[in-house]
Amino acid sequence: MKVLVCISSVPDTTTKINFTPDNKSFVTQGVQFIINPYDEIALTRALELTEKDGGTVTVINVGDATTEPVIRKALAVGATDAVRVNAGPRDAFFVARQIAGYASNQNFDLILCGRESIDYNGAQVPAMIAELLGIPSVSVCKKLEIAGKTAIAEREIEGGKEIVECPLPMVVSASEGMAEPRIPNMRGIMSARTKPLAVVEPVDTPKNIEVIIYDKPKPRSEVKLIAPDKVEELVDLLHTQARVI
Amino acid sequence: MAKTDLFQSPDYYQIDELLTDEHKLVRNSVREWVKREVSPIIEEYAQRAEFPKHLIKGLAEIGAFGPYIPQEYGGGGLDQISYGLIMQEIERGDSGIRSTASVQSSLVMYPIYTYGSDEQRKKYLPKLATGEWMGCFGLTEPNFGSNPGGMLTNIKDKGDHVVLNGSKMWISNAPFADIAVVWAKDEEGVIRGLIVERGMKGFSTPETHGKWSLRASATGELVFDNVKVPKENILPNVKGLKGPLGCLNSARYGIAWGAIGAAMDCYDTALRYSKERIQFGKPIGAFQLQQKKLAEMITEITKAQLLAWRLGVLKNENRATPQQISMAKRNNVNMALEITRDARQMLGGMGITGEYPIMRHMMNLESVITYEGTHDIHLLITGMDVTGLNAFGG
Ligand SMILES: Cc1cc2nc3c(=O)[nH]c(=O)nc-3n(C[C@H](O)[C@H](O)[C@H](O)COP(=O)(O)OP(=O)(O)OC[C@H]3O[C@@H](n4cnc5c(N)ncnc54)[C@H](O)[C@@H]3O)c2cc1C
């Protein structure tokens, strides 16, 4: 089986987010980047599936050269080879176009993505890739099994679960539970040194979306503690200051 | 239930920019592993004074055993900065676990690689790298600690083998080690290194109990009662005290990094606590006295990080002198120990409990500041280096 896993490079979950003075872009200086955690789940499942049934796992990332450490980690964890589309990931359509463009003549049996990236949370890329390639897609899956040329995926839905069957090739986006991410071991890190990482140039893509401004949530206001026996005071403050009653 | 390890590493001077992508990948992988495998269980093992043996396989996989030994012998083939970072991250978890890794790498694999024959390298190194065999290092004796040159353990030539007699004390990993690299004097009084295997008649390794420090590391004695050791187990390529001292250089270098890990863990814990703990209506971090402690901690950690990094560069170029290594070991371990003490006070009563790692680190570091050359001995090394005058006595 030939699997493509889409990985994006995102700020570490503990990053303090700051924007440039014009509030149009995110300041990356001093920020640690990691593989998007959902993509890491997808990658791990791809490795499990190919370890079981044989096959290869290619990882693809749309990003400039600064994302290479994240790609190397994916190789260290066990991916066979990697492709980097040399361009900043402008928006979801741009990314999907690049990935679909690369995948269109590679005969992948399965394209795995994370359910969303934890930085911009668009959750659009997987379905867009499928659409551009004209293949089915199932999103936000908690389980994925492959039997021959068919995938069985499990999705969580309100109050229960949904189990779907779908012929390959297809796109699946992974959610928590599909696999437990692995830590690269020493052998993996050493072998990642020499695994192929191809750099390809992006295909032209129309720009439909423009970011006008990023805005941080308002800082939380201070908490006022009121003694348990001062209910009157609480009611008064809710009425006169918070104006909620 | 085990608590989640929230550790975030301080990097006040963007020292990460001095590291390669591979260094960071190695470090982050070990950090993840420690969070997943060590932090949740270490307190319990330390309280029980038991070495978590089940970690051996994982330690081998993340490259803690012989990271700088060439790959053809099963090592990682990494550079010295990677080795340092691995030690830092493991000691961030626990100095005892780091001790096991230091001993295996620098005191067992290093001498076999550096002083051993090719047969010895091939026989031992691959199994030591995977943790299938664990090793220990016997230099210290009951009456010879800081002055190992006075050792009494000895070998007598009996043709195709030697007979080993004597005893070693305070030996990390001894209780479970499969092999011991032992230093003993021959009939001419020259120090030789030999590989003693568990199961050789007359060789025993009683465990040392009742330690208040490195409780998650097993320490013991090595007792040799007329042990017949084949001559092919003698390390052929070194004679004299420079043999064990060469190993110690490598281990001390790793400890200079390791101590930073313990210090970072205590700083990080105290910093987080200081923002959450409210007294007199404010988080304690808002009080100047507590800020002084935190500010001094991060200053000292930053200095220690730079010292270790520079030493690593010199070591990669084979230019680090033993005296430079002494300075870093002495400074960084002492720095860490002082930080544990301040951090412990910042946590008040909570600081003495096993809910937080600080007291464990503090007790551990009392060993670290003593083994591999005491704090005093390293000062004498620097003193002698700058004055040219020997103040060791004797
Ligand atoms: C937990 C633990 C694990 C260890 N693991 C190992 C191991 O794996 N292998 C191994 O071989 N050893 C090991 N050691 C032994 C360790 O290296 C020795 O304890 C250390 O070298 C000090 O020796 P000592 O304990 O005999 O102290 P001593 O040498 O008796 O020193 C006592 C005090 O006198 C001071 N002193 C000594 N000489 C001088 C001098 N000339 N001038 C001024 N002050 C001086 C010292 O600084 C110290 O403060 C371990 C020790 C511990 C505690």
Side-chain angles (χ1 to χ4, degrees):
Chain A
M1 187 165 57
K2 220 177 136 183
V3 186
L4 180 68
V5 180
C6 310
I7 58 171
S8 74
S9 165
V10 298
D12 185 38
T13 42
T14 57
T15 307
K16 291 202 182 72
I17 304 295
N18 284 307
F19 297 106
T20 48
D22 66 358
N23 280 329
K24 279 180 185 280
S25 40
F26 164 61
V27 179
T28 56
Q29 209 212 340
V31 172
Q32 277 230 35
F33 284 86
I34 57 170
I35 301 182
N36 178 42
Y38 294 115
D39 303 348
E40 211 169 4
I41 294 171
L43 171 62
T44 314
R45 187 63 192 140
L47 294 170
E48 289 170 358
L49 289 170
T50 50
E51 279 161 10
K52 202 167 69 158
D53 304 327
T56 58
V57 176
T58 302
V59 290
I60 187 165
N61 165 259
V62 180
D64 60 23
T66 61
T67 66
E68 287 199 5
V70 156
I71 302 176
R72 282 280 166 224
K73 182 180 173 189
L75 292 170
V77 171
T80 320
D81 59 357
V83 179
R84 179 171 68 79
V85 181
N86 190 24
R90 206 170 64 205
D91 55 44
F93 182 58
F94 180 85
V95 171
R97 274 273 297 223
Q98 306 311 323
I99 295 172
Y102 171 77
S104 60
N105 57 5
Q106 299 282 324
N107 296 318
F108 289 109
D109 300 295
L110 177 66
I111 300 179
L112 267 167
C113 307
R115 59 178 287 177
E116 63 188 289
S117 66
I118 62 157
D119 48 4
Y120 296 96
N121 307 82
Q124 299 186 77
V125 172
M128 281 183 180
I129 296 172
E131 188 62 21
L132 289 167
L133 291 172
I135 58 175
S137 87
V138 181
S139 57
V140 199
C141 298
K142 291 183 79 76
K143 276 190 187 165
L144 175 68
E145 295 296 340
I146 305 290
K149 283 275 162 200
T150 310
I152 313 268
E154 189 178 307
R155 307 181 63 249
E156 203 170 60
I157 54 172
E158 190 65 40
K161 60 186 178 186
E162 176 186 60
I163 296 174
V164 299
E165 191 185 273
C166 181
L168 300 182
M170 71 178 301
V171 178
V172 171
S173 83
S175 180
E176 292 98 338
M178 189 184 275
E180 182 65 27
R182 297 175 182 179
I183 299 169
N185 61 29
M186 169 73 58
R187 305 265 150 257
I189 293 173
M190 301 306 292
S191 65
R193 279 183 181 172
T194 51
K195 284 183 179 172
L197 193 173
V199 179
V200 301
E201 290 306 315
V203 292
D204 275 347
T205 305
K207 190 172 180 183
N208 302 321
I209 290 180
E210 181 92 43
V211 173
I212 301 168
I213 201 163
Y214 289 110
D215 204 1
K216 286 208 253 182
K218 289 205 177 58
R220 270 189 281 174
S221 52
E222 266 188 43
V223 171
K224 193 172 237 166
L225 291 175
I226 292 156
D229 53 345
K230 300 263 167 64
V231 180
E232 302 282 286
E233 192 187 335
L234 174 67
V235 172
D236 186 51
L237 286 172
L238 287 173
H239 184 59
T240 56
Q241 288 201 5
R243 290 173 204 277
V244 290
I245 53 171
Chain B
M1 215 199 70
K3 293 213 302 186
T4 321
D5 179 350
L6 299 171
F7 177 71
Q8 268 181 275
S9 102
D11 181 15
Y12 204 74
Y13 264 34
Q14 277 109 47
I15 294 166
D16 263 20
E17 291 170 18
L18 300 172
L19 305 176
T20 65
D21 290 341
E22 191 173 276
H23 290 148
K24 285 183 270 192
L25 181 54
V26 167
R27 181 198 57 196
N28 296 350
S29 302
V30 180
R31 183 171 294 164
E32 282 260 309
W33 181 81
V34 167
K35 282 193 176 185
R36 218 186 262 190
E37 302 292 334
V38 180
S39 307
I41 57 114
I42 192 61
E43 187 61 38
E44 252 182 78
Y45 278 84
Q47 296 271 3
R48 283 210 304 268
E50 183 183 334
F51 171 65
K53 253 187 153 171
H54 69 277
L55 292 182
I56 287 177
K57 187 163 171 278
L59 280 165
E61 278 170 7
I62 54 151
F65 298 156
Y68 54 81
I69 299 289
Q71 283 182 289
E72 56 172 314
Y73 295 108
L78 294 172
D79 74 347
Q80 290 292 327
I81 291 183
S82 300
Y83 172 51
L85 289 166
I86 294 171
M87 295 300 118
Q88 170 187 297
E89 292 306 318
I90 298 176
E91 190 144 5
R92 212 275 302 167
D94 187 78
S95 306
I97 309 302
R98 199 271 304 135
S99 298
T100 290
S102 286
V103 168
Q104 184 85 343
S105 297
S106 286
L107 302 182
V108 180
M109 295 177 74
Y110 175 88
I112 294 174
Y113 176 69
T114 313
Y115 312 132
S117 66
D118 210 46
E119 293 74 50
Q120 289 169 340
R121 290 171 166 190
K122 288 200 176 105
K123 176 172 176 194
Y124 297 104
L125 292 177
K127 289 205 165 88
L128 290 164
T130 59
E132 186 183 338
W133 283 351
M134 294 301 292
C136 66
F137 175 87
L139 178 65
T140 306
E141 297 187 0
N143 293 321
F144 297 91
S146 297
N147 174 26
M151 68 175 65
L152 300 175
T153 300
N154 61 83
I155 49 175
K156 298 229 155 42
D157 194 331
K158 299 283 176 188
D160 65 338
H161 67 273
V162 293
V163 170
L164 173 65
N165 274 296
S167 68
K168 299 286 179 182
M169 200 179 173
W170 294 120
I171 308 305
S172 306
N173 296 359
F176 58 82
D178 303 286
I179 65 166
V181 170
V182 176
W183 302 92
K185 281 182 179 162
D186 67 13
E187 280 142 303
E188 276 85 56
V190 178
I191 294 174
R192 300 300 308 262
L194 41 149
I195 304 165
V196 180
E197 296 178 21
R198 185 171 295 280
M200 286 181 172
K201 202 159 166 272
F203 172 41
S204 58
T205 60
E207 183 158 358
T208 304
H209 293 288
K211 291 180 300 169
W212 282 119
S213 175
L214 292 192
R215 287 170 63 83
S217 158
T219 314
E221 291 166 57
L222 304 176
V223 182
F224 313 108
D225 178 13
N226 285 312
V227 184
K228 272 178 156 185
V229 182
K231 275 197 174 155
E232 67 255 24
N233 282 29
I234 296 178
L235 298 173
N237 301 324
V238 76
K239 282 184 180 163
L241 204 54
K242 68 172 185 291
L245 292 185
C247 307
L248 295 177
N249 265 327
S250 178
R252 288 167 180 173
Y253 164 76
I255 293 169
W257 283 90
I260 300 172
M264 292 198 304
D265 201 37
C266 294
Y267 166 75
D268 181 62
T269 305
L271 177 62
R272 191 168 311 111
Y273 192 83
S274 77
K275 294 188 209 167
E276 289 165 1
R277 175 70 177 168
I278 312 281
Q279 286 296 288
F280 298 97
K282 281 185 188 174
I284 59 167
F287 297 116
Q288 286 186 353
L289 284 174
Q290 306 312 318
Q291 288 192 3
K292 175 173 189 287
K293 293 191 183 100
L294 290 166
E296 286 177 353
M297 283 181 207
I298 188 63
T299 307
E300 290 308 313
I301 288 172
T302 304
K303 283 152 69 179
Q305 285 172 324
L306 286 167
L307 202 65
W309 174 80
R310 175 63 187 153
L311 188 64
V313 172
L314 290 172
K315 202 140 193 313
N316 274 342
E317 295 168 357
N318 253 326
R319 293 196 292 142
T321 66
Q323 292 79 3
Q324 286 170 329
I325 294 171
S326 280
M327 182 184 280
K329 191 270 182 183
R330 180 174 190 274
N331 181 78
N332 289 9
V333 176
N334 192 57
M335 160 305 286
L337 192 50
E338 287 185 354
I339 284 179
T340 63
R341 289 172 181 157
D342 275 347
R344 208 230 38 81
Q345 289 199 37
M346 287 187 66
L347 268 74
M350 287 313 286
I352 70 153
T353 70
E355 280 290 294
Y356 293 90
I358 299 178
M359 190 90 188
R360 178 168 47 80
H361 282 307
M362 184 200 292
M363 298 198 298
N364 282 342
L365 287 164
E366 291 292 344
S367 288
V368 181
I369 204 166
T370 291
Y371 70 23
E372 299 276 348
T374 67
H375 192 59
D376 297 334
I377 292 295
H378 287 298
L379 177 122
L380 296 181
I381 291 172
T382 308
M384 187 162 104
D385 198 38
V386 296
T387 62
L389 304 170
N390 177 333
F392 286 91

